[in-house]
Amino acid sequence: MTDRYSRQELFAPIGKEGQQQLQSKHVLIVGAGALGTGSAETLVRAGVGHLTIVDRDYVEWSNLQRQQLYGEDDAERRLPKAVAAEQRLRRINSSAAIDAIVADVTTSEIEALTEGVDLIIDATDNFDTRLLLNDIAHKRRIPWIYGACVGSYGVSCAIVPGETPCLNCLLETVPIGGATCDTSGIIAPAVQMVVALQMAEALKLLTGNKRALRGKLVSFDLWSNQYTAIGVDRLKKEDCASCGSQPTYPYLQASNHSRTAVLCGRDTVQIRPPAPVERDLETLAEQLSRQGGTVQGNPYLISYTIGAHRLAIFRDGRVLVHGTKDVAEAKSLYHRYLG
């Protein structure tokens, strides 16, 4: 095992000193989907000492095409992604400290999640969460790396508080959103390219090679063979509410974080309870079984199928209502079966 990281240490910008720095770092990955699994595996193989991976969802068959840590058994068991990722990552590197958290990342959780973190990796699928990450990163002066992909397109940018413009600044100037995997699908090479872009910047930051950062927002389309790198230094705004001279961090306020969300690429609505709860899944399974329908479960969630809909109920009170994109319909089903 003494030569485990030898090829990485031979790379002069990292060397033995950089390898030691990697082993002392704590990285938070928000999202354990395509970008999250790729990033997590890269960091664990690179020797990052402490990794926290947070995700609100569970493994489904449609994930297996591009989410590299998961297998068919995970999809059959509907295992929470964070749990399945942790199990695979521990087999890859048993010396890494890995925390798996099954939760939705909101204003209630973000302060605790970022305690003692050296770098945040964006592996989310929505700007609601990204802007939350952006604000906490600037409040705590933690660098973070934005990344997104859809179809054959991808985009990435490293954001360093106090030095670069933030995501809030970029959104006002650069068109970096629009299509979703629900409408355009996605191919695995686009995922892998964004992971490569994010992880290259991550290794630079974690080994003290900040001067090597691109300083640009990179976008590409693998199908049409396009690649663009936009200099972002001049986009920083002095009056930005997230990174300006008098920041108010608006996205850390609960009023700016929705309690329902239509999930990307899914005929699914997520509903979070108005206050934190701890559901007794065993008792709930018994109650639901008396209402008809089909109840299945594992230690982390219950799956309740009734008619054309399926409700996945987590211990933290969150519910994924499958079979609809209509928030009102999802809420109606939620209240009908869960009170």
Side-chain angles (χ1 to χ4, degrees):
M1 291 188 55
T2 56
D3 65 348
R4 177 166 193 151
Y5 306 111
S6 60
R7 300 305 184 268
Q8 190 162 272
E9 290 174 350
L10 286 171
F11 181 63
I14 294 180
K16 290 186 178 295
E17 182 180 346
Q19 190 63 49
Q20 290 174 354
Q21 290 187 60
L22 285 172
Q23 291 170 325
S24 69
K25 299 298 185 181
H26 182 186
V27 178
L28 169 66
I29 299 180
V30 180
L35 296 181
T37 53
S39 297
E41 181 168 344
T42 299
L43 293 172
V44 164
R45 289 189 183 278
V48 168
H50 188 180
L51 182 69
T52 297
I53 186 163
V54 190
D55 192 275
R56 65 189 179 183
D57 208 350
Y58 57 90
V59 182
E60 295 193 284
W61 288 94
S62 63
N63 303 147
L64 304 184
Q65 166 249 353
R66 66 198 180 282
Q67 299 182 17
Q68 66 189 56
L69 291 179
Y70 309 133
E72 294 181 354
D73 183 59
D74 299 318
E76 288 174 352
R77 296 162 60 199
R78 294 193 179 106
L79 207 60
K81 289 183 178 180
V83 174
E86 177 191 21
Q87 293 177 358
R88 173 63 178 146
L89 292 169
R90 289 192 185 282
R91 294 197 294 272
I92 292 171
N93 190 343
S94 59
S95 65
I98 302 169
D99 298 326
I101 300 174
V102 183
D104 191 23
V105 177
T106 70
T107 54
S108 300
E109 296 85 11
I110 196 63
E111 292 280 354
L113 287 172
T114 52
E115 189 69 39
V117 164
D118 298 293
L119 177 66
I120 301 170
I121 303 298
D122 164 34
T124 68
D125 60 5
N126 66 89
F127 279 97
D128 199 11
T129 306
R130 288 186 180 116
L131 289 167
L132 176 68
L133 296 181
N134 185 65
D135 272 12
I136 195 66
H138 283 81
K139 180 180 178 181
R140 290 199 153 174
R141 315 297 282 184
I142 303 171
W144 73 286
I145 304 175
Y146 161 66
C149 50
V150 63
S152 57
Y153 171 84
V155 62
S156 179
C157 187
I159 297 173
V160 183
E163 299 181 28
T164 69
C166 75
L167 184 63
N168 217 355
C169 295
L170 299 180
L171 284 175
E172 293 185 15
T173 309
V174 182
I176 56 179
T180 71
C181 50
D182 191 20
T183 58
S184 303
I186 188 166
I187 58 173
V191 173
Q192 295 155 2
M193 180 68 82
V194 174
V195 168
L197 291 168
Q198 286 185 293
M199 291 301 97
E201 299 294 80
L203 289 176
K204 294 171 189 177
L205 286 164
L206 294 170
T207 59
N209 286 283
K210 193 182 291 185
R211 290 185 178 180
L213 291 172
R214 284 188 302 267
K216 296 181 179 181
L217 184 144
V218 174
S219 65
F220 62 84
D221 190 319
L222 295 177
W223 211 258
S224 61
N225 306 305
Q226 297 176 348
Y227 182 94
T228 305
I230 303 172
V232 296
D233 289 347
R234 296 181 180 180
L235 302 182
K236 187 171 174 58
K237 299 182 181 301
E238 180 66 19
D239 61 349
C240 176
S242 298
C243 73
S245 57
Q246 296 181 310
T248 58
Y249 310 118
Y251 297 98
L252 292 181
Q253 300 171 22
S255 59
N256 285 330
H257 202 90
S258 65
R259 294 203 167 271
T260 60
V262 179
L263 301 193
C264 175
R266 312 271 292 283
D267 195 23
T268 302
V269 175
Q270 175 183 256
I271 299 176
R272 290 184 289 118
V277 298
E278 179 76 15
R279 285 198 182 274
D280 181 338
L281 296 184
E282 292 74 18
T283 300
L284 180 60
E286 293 177 6
Q287 294 171 348
L288 290 173
S289 65
R290 292 194 291 269
Q291 299 187 50
T294 303
V295 180
Q296 297 174 305
N298 59 43
Y300 310 98
L301 60 89
I302 287 173
S303 176
Y304 176 58
T305 303
I306 183 113
H309 300 94
R310 182 165 61 84
L311 281 65
I313 306 139
F314 293 81
R315 285 197 182 276
D316 65 2
R318 290 181 302 111
V319 178
L320 301 184
V321 182
H322 298 279
T324 183
K325 296 178 185 175
D326 186 314
V327 171
E329 182 182 23
K331 285 183 175 180
S332 175
L333 290 163
Y334 175 93
H335 291 301
R336 183 186 309 166
Y337 297 110
L338 300 173

